[in-house]
Amino acid sequence: MEGIYLVHLMVMVLSLGLLAGALCQVDDGSDNETTAVYIVTLKQAPASHYYGKLRKNTNVFKHGVPRNPNQFHNRRDNSRSNWSSSSYVARVHDSLLRRVLRGEKYLKLYSYHYLINGFAVLVTPEQASKLSRRREVANVALDFSVRTATTHTPQFLGLPQGAWVKAGGYETAGEGIVIGFVDTGIDPTHPSFADDISLNSYPVPSHFSGICEVTRDFPSGSCNRKLIGARHFAASAITRGIFNSSQDYASPFDGDGHGTHTASVAAGNHGIPVIVAGHCFGNASGMAPRAHVSVYKALYKSFGGFAADVVAAIDQAAQDGVDVLSLSITPNRRPPGIATFFNPIDMALLSAVKAGIFTVQAAGNTGPSPKSMSSFSPWIFTVGAASHDRVYSNSIILGNNVTIHGVGLAPGTDEDTMLTLVSALHAVNNETTVTADMYVGECQDSSSFNQDFIEGNLLICSYSIRFVLGLSTIKQAVETAKNLSAAGVVFYMDPFVIGFQLNPIPMSVPGIIIPSPDDSKVLLQYYNSSLERNRTTKQITKFGAVASILGGLKANYSNSAPKVMYYSARGPDPEDSFLDDADILKPNLVAPGNSIWAAWSSLGTDSVEFQGENFAMMSGTSMAAPHIAGLAALIKQKFPSFSPSAIASALSSTASLYDNNGGPIMAQRAYANPDLNQSPATPFDMGSGFVNATAALDPGLIFDSSYDDYMSFLCGINGSSPVVLNYTGQNCLSYNSSINGTDLNLPSITIAKLYQSRMVQRSVTNIAGNETYKVGWSAPYGVTVKVVPACFSIASGEGQVLSVFFDAIMNSSTASHGRIGLFGDQGHVLNIPLSVIVKVTYNTTTNG
């Protein structure tokens, strides 16, 4: 049966247009062995290492300052249409598999050739072992699963008056820049991705060479001058037999909604009306509304995704010529091995950075626990989620003059009228009993109720764990209320749903959801105490409770913001599976990620409450990452020669440390009642701070790092030399010296273990005019800090080395934080977060 199964898979893979290898049909007696997908890397360098125009990044601080302050690294010449190595590399891979697995069954899923030289193959563990023993093979890794981790945020970030003005206005913001998205695909029919909303010319960038797949779900003409590339990758999922072509769509089309949402956050068109449930919530715009979009679908609603497919997507995006790559995905587990950095996705992204691509990744939604970070490597820009100042509040006023606050994007009832409250449990018809239908109180079936009790009244429904699991929906309850001619609907929280956080949910009728179990008790106590019953039969003779719903369609912009959301993953960055701390700051910064309006797929099913809508409000670090991808496009547009690390420096060093009221940014510390459990955010919560879009376009100074620096860092990890060789094909002996994470030229300093004293250096280059900087600092608790020089003048295009001296003055294993501030006399201000975890004032030795 397995042979038939593999043949069927082969047909499916070929029908998807994937590069598949030969499938041998000889029965070798291994039918009962378990097969799995393995990612095999070869020792020979990939195409990008040989591509003549992709020259190696040179660290300007070690080898001199460029004459032109904007010439960090030249823009890539990505006219790759004549680059024909892919078919040759695929033949080499096929030849190797035939030689090693002669006469055996296997299925090659992908040939990777651009960022890494290797392939993904479905084999048995014994076959994988055979491959690993070949001299041509560098590394064999088991595939692993991954998961998915706006109308007002442009205003909150100051784009209309700031960054867009610097880019020439929203009509040109991001023009010429291509943002790639590894996500759940895209809905090409959405107006956020149309190319005809402006009369200005809108050419496809000449450096981009991607294509658009054409399928029944994604017909010819789906792409345009805005959406310029679209592919899908699902071979690894298909081999597992979990791919549902009708639900997951064997095309770039987004059947989930997540990918459409993230793409529009970064690069959606400007001024698209947001209409949901018949209500208008303003006009939407991406951060870089004139940037181009290319999607690489590798995630799916029903199962998430797999690393083999994600690596294939990344490899293709780099070959196509994207400038920025956004991944709102994280691994389902911490990578095993000597360091978290050594995994197929991160190493593919390292090659992408070498090719000049700025890569941004969501931090993960696993907070607020320490070391919950799901994005690890210093060459990846990791983004946490923060709130912004817009909130949609809703309230219900009871007949006893008690006001209860809740949520719900719904209209209110008539302000001058108090309406009767009727519980669904008290309005069932004669054929329905609460005993027979224990979920009748969730209002999912209108046939269970007596319309005479409900018509013209407010229907009270319960919100149970079934809503959280998707078994019951607000949308269906609203339909029930409409079918019964209710005046509105009120949801109370089941006491077993503890600490669940609700996003505002659209309702087409007056309604409210009371998210607090305690407030729900107040509602029910008032309702029950107002019932009038027959003394003999105990039957209800009158529903005495009344209420008025104020409605939640109007936004309030007075909220204190930003604050780091409870779900946003936290540092310190775990270096390995033993949770040792890395000398790397994660996240890099935080951006708006909570209650974000953005485009939604017409067939999106990720949120049942927004099914059939053109826009959805979503929350998560998945929403924060594309904010940064779009802002990175604006920086790349202004500074075309910026390296990925220069873009990262501009974003990080200019980040804000304060909220809109001038106080410190707060971080929520608990899932339950997060606003009652918060304290000032540290760099392990928010990285360098909250993104400042306008300042990032004029940073003054830049901290730059090169591919060679990252390689020296990897070679500095104990026992890493063979792993580095396996993944990159490069020998650590070719690097004169290795460095640890603290010595990478990042716009932050993190020391996992400070033994007595240490000197750390940072190099900056001036990309602005001549300026004099004063240096100030606050030391982490238990440490003294001194920065030399304390003042310096720097000409345009020149460099300056800063020496930072740390001395431990107490023994402690509790992390403490400080900052270095660089204050220029021309208005540039940069901040460098300092974090020291373990502090030891004397040398300790162990005898025995």
Side-chain angles (χ1 to χ4, degrees):
M1 286 299 294
E2 187 181 29
I4 298 173
Y5 175 60
L6 289 174
V7 171
H8 178 60
L9 285 174
M10 185 63 175
V11 173
M12 291 180 70
V13 172
L14 288 173
S15 70
L16 296 178
L18 301 174
L19 190 60
L23 178 64
C24 302
Q25 289 301 308
V26 178
D27 187 356
D28 63 352
S30 62
D31 278 1
N32 294 323
E33 278 199 78
T34 301
T35 57
V37 176
Y38 291 84
I39 300 173
V40 180
T41 309
L42 304 187
K43 291 179 180 178
Q44 185 176 4
S48 63
H49 288 223
Y50 295 117
Y51 192 66
K53 297 293 184 180
L54 288 174
R55 59 189 180 85
K56 292 172 67 175
N57 291 346
T58 301
N59 191 316
V60 297
F61 306 116
K62 291 184 178 179
H63 307 292
V65 177
R67 294 178 183 176
N68 184 336
N70 287 340
Q71 288 180 343
F72 274 88
H73 309 300
N74 288 335
R75 176 188 284 273
R76 295 169 293 135
D77 178 2
N78 285 328
S79 301
R80 301 192 180 97
S81 58
N82 295 325
W83 186 250
S84 59
S85 69
S86 59
S87 59
Y88 168 75
V89 173
R91 290 195 299 272
V92 171
H93 296 165
D94 292 339
S95 175
L96 173 64
L97 285 166
R98 283 194 295 269
R99 293 197 310 272
V100 177
L101 306 178
R102 187 183 304 275
E104 300 178 23
K105 292 194 293 286
Y106 61 86
L107 176 62
K108 190 188 76 175
L109 308 180
Y110 297 108
S111 275
Y112 310 126
H113 73 278
Y114 193 73
L115 293 179
I116 61 174
N117 180 8
F119 50 86
V121 62
L122 179 73
V123 290
T124 65
E126 182 181 351
Q127 291 172 314
S129 179
K130 286 182 182 179
L131 286 167
S132 69
R133 293 194 294 269
R134 292 289 298 193
R135 68 177 186 277
E136 305 99 315
V137 173
N139 191 55
V140 177
L142 184 65
D143 194 13
F144 57 89
S145 60
V146 298
R147 60 191 171 195
T148 54
T150 79
T151 56
H152 178 62
T153 48
Q155 284 73 24
F156 186 64
L157 294 172
L159 298 185
Q161 298 79 33
W164 285 348
V165 173
K166 292 177 181 290
Y170 70 82
E171 286 199 339
T172 58
E175 195 166 276
I177 305 300
V178 182
I179 306 177
F181 298 89
V182 179
D183 215 299
T184 65
I186 197 167
D187 182 350
T189 67
H190 200 283
S192 290
F193 311 112
D195 67 351
D196 57 359
I197 66 170
S198 172
L199 296 178
N200 296 337
S201 62
Y202 197 24
V204 174
S206 59
H207 68 273
F208 183 77
S209 61
I211 65 168
C212 284
E213 290 181 16
V214 175
T215 70
R216 184 180 63 182
D217 307 315
F218 211 84
S220 178
S222 294
C223 286
N224 52 38
R225 292 170 298 167
K226 175 74 172 180
L227 174 58
I228 60 176
R231 300 174 186 249
H232 87 288
F233 304 83
S236 185
I238 290 171
T239 64
R240 291 167 164 82
I242 61 175
F243 187 87
N244 183 333
S245 60
S246 62
Q247 178 180 348
D248 296 313
Y249 298 98
S251 76
F253 186 82
D254 182 10
D256 179 280
H258 189 273
T260 300
H261 198 277
T262 56
S264 71
V265 168
N269 286 327
H270 180 270
I272 306 302
V274 178
I275 299 175
V276 175
H279 312 303
C280 184
F281 294 96
N283 296 316
S285 175
M287 300 298 103
R290 199 66 171 169
H292 302 269
V293 171
S294 186
V295 298
Y296 303 86
K297 179 179 174 180
L299 295 170
Y300 299 83
K301 167 63 178 174
S302 61
F303 57 84
F306 295 94
D309 297 326
V310 172
V311 171
I314 295 170
D315 192 69
Q316 188 62 59
Q319 184 180 351
D320 289 348
V322 303
D323 300 290
V324 177
L325 190 58
S326 179
L327 295 92
S328 288
I329 61 173
T330 56
N332 277 327
R333 58 179 174 85
R334 189 169 286 109
I338 64 171
T340 52
F341 320 116
F342 293 113
N343 67 81
I345 292 177
D346 284 37
M347 297 309 292
L349 291 175
L350 175 60
S351 289
V353 167
K354 182 179 183 180
I357 301 168
F358 179 77
T359 61
V360 54
Q361 184 178 24
N365 299 331
T366 49
S369 301
K371 301 187 185 183
S372 53
M373 187 57 54
S374 298
S375 176
F376 314 105
S377 299
W379 52 87
I380 301 172
F381 199 82
T382 304
V383 186
S387 65
H388 52 96
D389 64 343
R390 184 194 62 210
V391 293
Y392 292 94
S393 56
N394 199 342
S395 299
I396 182 171
I397 302 175
L398 305 181
N400 59 1
N401 290 324
V402 172
T403 298
I404 298 176
H405 298 289
V407 297
L409 299 171
T413 56
D414 190 326
E415 292 182 9
D416 301 323
T417 304
M418 300 293 278
L419 299 172
T420 300
L421 289 163
V422 177
S423 170
L425 300 177
H426 296 150
V428 295
N429 56 32
N430 294 331
E431 289 75 36
T432 306
T433 64
V434 176
T435 304
D437 185 356
M438 60 186 299
Y439 304 119
V440 70
E442 297 172 7
C443 306
Q444 298 298 292
D445 184 0
S446 58
S447 67
S448 299
F449 301 100
N450 186 333
Q451 183 170 350
D452 293 339
F453 289 143
I454 297 171
E455 186 171 352
N457 297 325
L458 296 176
L459 177 63
I460 300 178
C461 308
S462 65
Y463 189 102
S464 75
I465 192 67
R466 289 166 53 83
F467 285 80
V468 180
L469 299 175
L471 301 176
S472 296
T473 69
I474 298 291
K475 200 166 194 174
Q476 186 56 46
V478 168
E479 282 302 307
T480 296
K482 290 167 67 176
N483 290 339
L484 298 171
S485 301
V489 61
V490 179
F491 294 90
Y492 67 89
M493 190 63 63
D494 187 293
F496 293 103
V497 184
I498 301 173
F500 183 66
Q501 304 300 314
L502 279 173
N503 272 332
I505 294 172
M507 290 182 263
S508 55
V509 301
I512 186 172
I513 309 168
I514 301 171
S516 163
D518 290 337
D519 288 341
S520 296
K521 288 180 183 178
V522 173
L523 169 70
L524 295 178
Q525 286 170 357
Y526 165 68
Y527 172 79
N528 288 322
S529 67
S530 302
L531 291 174
E532 296 183 14
R533 296 179 182 270
N534 183 290
R535 292 183 180 181
T536 303
T537 65
K538 305 300 182 184
Q539 294 293 316
I540 297 173
T541 58
K542 182 180 180 181
F543 297 101
V546 294
S548 175
I549 299 173
L550 296 185
L553 297 178
K554 187 175 181 180
N556 185 318
Y557 298 98
S558 61
N559 210 35
S560 177
K563 64 178 64 174
V564 182
M565 299 307 298
Y566 62 91
Y567 52 76
S568 187
R570 311 298 168 92
D573 187 14
E575 184 174 77
D576 51 40
S577 56
F578 299 105
L579 296 182
D580 291 328
D581 298 318
D583 295 316
I584 305 294
L585 179 62
K586 292 291 178 178
N588 292 82
L589 50 61
V590 293
N594 202 62
S595 299
I596 305 299
W597 280 120
W600 197 245
S601 173
S602 57
L603 298 177
T605 58
D606 186 41
S607 174
V608 67
E609 309 301 348
F610 289 98
Q611 273 187 274
E613 303 287 357
N614 278 335
F615 283 85
M617 178 181 285
M618 304 294 286
S619 296
T621 56
S622 284
M623 284 67 247
H627 278 86
I628 297 303
L631 297 177
L634 300 183
I635 298 173
K636 186 72 172 178
Q637 180 187 22
K638 182 177 180 181
F639 301 101
S641 56
F642 263 23
S643 69
S645 63
I647 296 174
S649 172
L651 288 162
S652 294
S653 64
T654 59
S656 174
L657 305 177
Y658 304 100
D659 66 18
N660 53 1
N661 294 321
I665 293 174
M666 304 297 283
Q668 296 177 336
R669 302 291 179 193
Y671 179 83
N673 301 315
D675 283 332
L676 301 179
N677 295 276
Q678 59 183 22
S679 60
T682 74
F684 290 161
D685 302 314
M686 65 174 182
S688 294
F690 183 78
V691 64
N692 183 331
T694 303
L697 285 169
D698 184 21
L701 303 175
I702 285 296
F703 299 75
D704 203 21
S705 298
S706 70
Y707 173 82
D708 285 347
D709 294 327
Y710 298 132
M711 288 294 293
S712 295
F713 158 70
L714 292 175
C715 289
I717 298 172
N718 189 34
S720 67
S721 293
V723 186
V724 171
L725 181 64
N726 288 348
Y727 269 113
T728 68
Q730 295 177 261
N731 196 317
C732 283
L733 295 177
S734 64
Y735 291 88
N736 294 329
S737 61
S738 61
I739 60 176
N740 61 32
T742 300
D743 294 318
L744 280 171
N745 197 49
L746 304 174
S748 61
I749 299 176
T750 303
I751 303 175
K753 296 177 182 177
L754 175 62
Y755 292 103
Q756 292 186 305
S757 61
R758 180 168 184 175
M759 189 267 286
V760 178
Q761 290 189 320
R762 289 293 183 266
S763 299
V764 295
T765 294
N766 186 10
I767 64 163
N770 299 348
E771 196 161 1
T772 297
Y773 283 86
K774 292 183 179 179
V775 184
W777 60 86
S778 62
Y781 182 70
V783 179
T784 63
V785 171
K786 181 180 180 181
V787 184
V788 177
C791 181
F792 61 92
S793 295
I794 184 168
S796 178
E798 293 299 314
Q800 174 69 49
V801 175
L802 300 174
S803 298
V804 186
F805 298 89
F806 295 85
D807 284 285
I809 57 175
M810 65 180 293
N811 297 311
S812 174
S813 59
T814 301
S816 54
H817 308 276
R819 293 199 178 267
I820 296 173
L822 306 179
F823 305 94
D825 62 3
Q826 299 302 307
H828 294 107
V829 177
L830 296 86
N831 85 83
I832 307 168
L834 310 175
S835 299
V836 181
I837 303 176
V838 176
K839 298 164 277 284
V840 180
T841 60
Y842 53 85
N843 286 325
T844 58
T845 58
T846 303
N847 298 322

